[in-house]
Amino acid sequence: MSVIRRAPDRPPATSPNDERYLDPRDLEAELRRTFQICHECRMCVGYCGSFPELFARVDRDIEAGVAEGAEALTYEDFKAIGDECWQCKLCYIKCPYTADEHAYELLDYPRALARERAVRAQREGIPLVDRILGEPQLIGELGSGVVAPLSNLVQASRLLRKVQEKVTGISSEFPLPELARKPFSSWFAEHSPAADAGKHGSVVLFATCYGEYNTPGVPEAAVRVLEHNGYAVHVPGCSSTGGDPRDAETGRLTCCGMPNLDGGDLDAFMAKVKENVALLLPHVRMGRKIVVVGPTCGYTMKKEWPEYLQTAEAREVAAATVDMMELLVQLGREKKLNREFKKGLGTIAYHAACHLRAQKIGFPGARVLGVVPDTEVRVVEQCSAVDGTWGMKAAHYETGRKYASKLVRGVADADVIVSDCTLAGLRMVKENGATVLHPVEALAHAYGLGPTSSLGPKS
């Protein structure tokens, strides 16, 4: 009996609130339906390793005469196909069978495979590598601050990294981000706001785990740029010098939860989403936007929080969330963007991060940097094959390198390499031996706002 292309009786389950979400039989039917349509279409064969894996396994069964399509795929086939999906979301953007395209079939390939991972975790448990990579905030808390030099010394040791790989499954070759001696929140607590901060209102900054503990120069630059453009900046649980003391009473934001979702840990993901929504909602109702400096966190907050939680409060927070550079584009449209630049940036290779593209907001970083005098921006639309935690795993490291080769070639020979994604930047640092800036760091440099990090455009 062959699998036929048809619309599901009900829309596919995309939230744990749906009783079907963790039902293995319902998932199996949904995967077969999805894989059959994808096998016939094949438009996404070049996006990631999941599609070639899928097509090869279906073709194997067809050639063996045991199937006419995807109906003979097994649990092991589902696992192998799911393991090669790094959740870049690009296939959903291009897919002609999604709800966004008002299609009859209603496919969501990334969410179907995220669901497969969650059901697998229920059946087999969560692997150690996913438990570790799922808690970047905890790792940051333990390894940053006064112990950062020791933490970084351990990370710099090839021998210790090899041992770590054997024990944890984290690749010894992937360049893990250094831990900061002074986390962002410590800097922010001592920061004195600029004179013009607040004339255009106030915003909440979601610094991200990596911004807090690994690359504090990024949220520091974001604060300077936002204040330079008239915004007062609030960080829940951390008042800056001269800030509103009430903001110190709201509690601390936690991880967006995407690393837990990558590992199938639904309980940890949902707990973090609920905690963050509760902390952010009062700010949203005060009229503040939530500004995010990482595209993966921004995507998760905008797209996954309301879908998984399915509450009015989650939707309210998601609607108020904007990417850092997206906000500056909005200011430009309103003729409010500060255009008093001190320095040009030369030729910029701007990496369009997958999770930014998945938000369907264009390339706001490229647009903003494009108004800086003596600056030429070249957009590189290629995937880094890191996308959260996938590319950090030893099992996927070489595959990730292969799929990232177009990006590595595309950013070569620029004066400055820019990416909104810290992890994609690490891939380029490793492969190109280059300095990679977040666009807000490059913009702060153009404004002449002082040191934004240890990095800077090449002279």
Side-chain angles (χ1 to χ4, degrees):
M1 182 180 74
S2 64
V3 176
I4 60 171
R5 292 176 56 157
R6 64 176 180 81
D9 296 331
R10 286 190 287 169
T14 56
S15 167
N17 291 319
D18 191 316
E19 62 184 7
R20 298 171 296 157
Y21 191 83
L22 295 175
D23 181 344
R25 291 187 178 181
D26 186 86
L27 171 63
E28 181 178 335
E30 175 58 21
L31 290 175
R32 292 188 195 284
R33 185 185 73 86
T34 297
F35 292 164
Q36 179 66 24
I37 295 172
C38 291
H39 180 262
E40 294 176 8
C41 176
R42 298 193 176 225
M43 187 174 74
C44 295
V45 66
Y47 285 134
C48 72
S50 183
F51 290 101
E53 190 74 29
L54 161 63
F55 302 151
R57 287 171 182 268
V58 174
D59 290 343
R60 171 205 65 195
D61 290 345
I62 292 174
E63 291 169 6
V66 299
E68 296 179 32
E71 69 271 21
L73 293 178
T74 66
Y75 176 73
E76 293 303 318
D77 291 325
F78 296 152
K79 287 172 60 176
I81 294 165
D83 284 343
E84 294 303 313
C85 170
W86 53 76
Q87 292 290 327
C88 67
K89 319 294 183 183
L90 295 185
C91 64
Y92 185 88
I93 296 174
K94 298 294 184 181
C95 179
Y97 302 114
T98 67
D100 288 353
E101 301 296 332
H102 307 290
Y104 175 74
E105 288 88 350
L106 286 180
L107 296 193
D108 192 328
Y109 192 93
R111 282 207 175 102
L113 290 186
R115 183 183 170 196
E116 186 277 326
R117 177 71 67 169
V119 171
R120 191 198 312 183
Q122 292 277 320
R123 178 173 177 173
E124 301 179 3
I126 300 166
L128 178 61
V129 64
D130 287 310
R131 289 191 180 277
I132 295 171
L133 292 176
E135 302 299 334
Q137 184 178 42
L138 178 60
I139 294 170
E141 289 174 348
L142 294 174
S144 63
V146 295
V147 299
L150 178 59
S151 302
N152 294 328
L153 186 64
V154 171
Q155 286 192 179
S157 169
R158 288 188 60 80
L159 176 60
L160 292 177
R161 287 292 303 277
K162 286 289 186 182
V163 173
Q164 179 193 63
E165 179 179 307
K166 292 292 185 182
V167 175
T168 67
I170 299 171
S171 172
S172 61
E173 296 296 324
F174 191 88
L176 297 176
E178 288 192 351
L179 287 146
R181 181 66 182 266
K182 189 172 188 176
F184 165 70
S185 57
S186 298
W187 173 89
F188 187 75
E190 300 169 0
H191 171 68
S192 297
D196 287 340
K199 71 177 184 181
H200 288 154
S202 61
V203 296
V204 172
L205 182 67
F206 193 94
T208 78
C209 295
Y210 287 112
E212 170 67 17
Y213 298 110
N214 301 101
T215 57
V218 175
E220 288 170 20
V223 170
R224 290 191 175 100
V225 168
L226 286 165
E227 290 179 349
H228 195 61
N229 280 277
Y231 283 101
V233 180
H234 299 267
V235 178
C238 182
S239 288
S240 64
T241 304
D244 187 341
R246 291 175 300 172
D247 290 315
E249 301 170 2
T250 61
R252 294 285 298 276
L253 293 168
T254 187
C255 173
C256 72
M258 176 58 92
N260 297 122
L261 205 56
D262 282 347
D265 192 345
L266 280 179
D267 290 341
F269 172 75
M270 296 292 279
K272 288 173 182 174
V273 175
K274 290 175 182 177
E275 183 177 347
N276 283 326
V277 167
L279 289 172
L280 290 169
L281 188 63
H283 293 278
V284 172
R285 290 180 173 172
M286 291 172 65
R288 295 171 178 167
K289 289 187 179 296
I290 304 160
V291 181
V292 188
V293 293
T296 297
C297 298
Y299 177 90
T300 303
M301 295 164 73
K302 290 179 180 180
K303 304 291 185 180
E304 305 292 27
W305 285 9
E307 184 65 30
Y308 278 79
L309 205 58
Q310 294 198 338
T311 64
E313 292 80 5
R315 289 189 288 272
E316 197 172 343
V317 169
T321 300
V322 294
D323 176 78
M324 172 70 221
M325 306 309 289
E326 179 186 12
L327 177 66
L328 296 180
V329 167
Q330 293 172 4
L331 283 182
R333 289 174 180 159
E334 296 167 3
K335 309 299 182 184
K336 295 179 181 177
L337 180 69
N338 189 321
R339 293 175 181 251
E340 297 178 4
F341 300 105
K342 307 294 185 183
K343 305 172 184 177
L345 298 171
T347 302
I348 291 177
Y350 174 82
H351 167 233
C354 297
H355 290 161
L356 187 71
R357 294 159 65 188
Q359 296 178 44
K360 297 187 178 181
I361 56 174
F363 310 130
R367 291 188 63 181
V368 174
L369 295 177
V371 305
V372 177
D374 302 317
T375 301
E376 179 184 348
V377 182
R378 182 176 80 242
V379 176
V380 181
E381 294 184 62
Q382 300 294 342
C383 183
S384 70
V386 179
D387 292 281
T389 63
W390 187 91
M392 294 183 176
K393 298 176 182 178
H396 304 313
Y397 180 73
E398 289 302 328
T399 300
R401 285 192 70 201
K402 180 182 77 172
Y403 276 89
S405 61
K406 291 181 180 179
L407 169 62
V408 170
R409 293 194 300 270
V411 299
D413 302 322
D415 295 326
V416 183
I417 299 175
V418 166
S419 176
D420 300 83
C421 180
T422 300
L423 295 179
L426 291 173
R427 174 81 79 188
M428 289 181 276
V429 168
K430 171 76 172 181
E431 300 294 334
N432 294 73
T435 291
V436 182
L437 298 176
H438 188 284
V440 78
E441 291 182 290
L443 189 64
H445 182 86
Y447 277 136
L449 293 178
T452 58
S453 73
S454 61
L455 304 178
K458 291 184 286 187
S459 59

